[in-house]
Amino acid sequence: MSRAYVHVLATQGGYTICDWNVDKDGVDMTLRMRGLMVDVQLKCTQSPRIVRGGYSFDLDIETYDKLRDLDRSAPGHLALLIVPPDIGRWVTHHPESIILACHGYWASLHGAGEARSNGTTAISLPEHQPLTAKSIGSMFDTARQLLNPVGREVH
């Protein structure tokens, strides 16, 4: 469901998308836009941990460390998709539409600090960072800053 959701957003935003079948780098999908790339680790839950101002997800340290690594050529992000507990409600078919009953949030992990535990670390996914076609543009802003850290615009 999370892959389908991101495919829909990428289509809406005009982004190119690549699915990875093997997750050696902590990445499920890479999005591209005019040569810029962002990597995304996808997670899906029907019972999100709600915290003040959004959600929290416990990510394994190995994946966290891969996504926060400053040596990445594409910044790493976590995307959390929240679906209803009843799988029958995830997708509703209508004669002229299909409705996905889910919503997602994202967090940039590029350059994040070292985890304080060995097993998992809690990632904050603020409610003001919904995963939308427009917000994917913010992920590309991070990629743009990696290429041009002094702030010169990349065309």
Side-chain angles (χ1 to χ4, degrees):
M1 181 70 161
S2 54
R3 288 180 187 270
Y5 184 81
V6 174
H7 272 269
V8 168
L9 298 180
T11 299
Q12 185 180 37
Y15 308 120
T16 303
I17 195 164
C18 178
D19 282 302
W20 299 104
N21 294 325
V22 178
D23 184 4
K24 290 184 177 179
D25 296 314
V27 175
D28 292 313
M29 299 181 122
T30 297
L31 298 166
R32 291 189 62 134
M33 178 186 73
R34 296 191 309 262
L36 295 173
M37 295 186 301
V38 295
D39 287 335
V40 182
Q41 170 63 226
L42 302 169
K43 298 295 181 186
C44 184
T45 184
Q46 49 187 239
S47 55
R49 191 169 64 230
I50 300 169
V51 296
R52 179 181 289 193
Y55 300 91
S56 179
F57 184 84
D58 290 335
L59 185 64
D60 65 274
I61 298 298
E62 182 180 355
T63 302
Y64 175 76
D65 284 343
K66 290 176 180 176
L67 293 172
R68 72 182 189 89
D69 189 345
L70 291 172
D71 289 335
R72 301 180 67 89
S73 61
H77 299 82
L78 173 67
L80 178 66
L81 189 69
I82 300 169
V83 295
D86 176 7
I87 194 171
R89 293 184 46 226
W90 290 12
V91 179
T92 304
H93 298 265
H94 297 284
E96 296 182 12
S97 65
I98 293 176
I99 297 173
L100 303 178
C102 55
H103 53 111
Y105 300 88
W106 67 278
S108 176
L109 300 182
H110 182 80
E114 192 169 320
R116 296 182 188 158
S117 65
N118 293 326
T120 62
T121 188
I123 306 299
S124 174
L125 299 123
E127 63 187 354
H128 70 270
Q129 285 189 180
L131 185 60
T132 64
K134 185 176 179 180
S135 71
I136 290 173
S138 297
M139 294 180 188
F140 284 111
D141 289 342
T142 303
R144 192 171 291 110
Q145 290 170 0
L146 288 177
L147 290 174
N148 183 19
V150 295
R152 191 183 75 218
E153 286 194 27
V154 177
H155 297 286

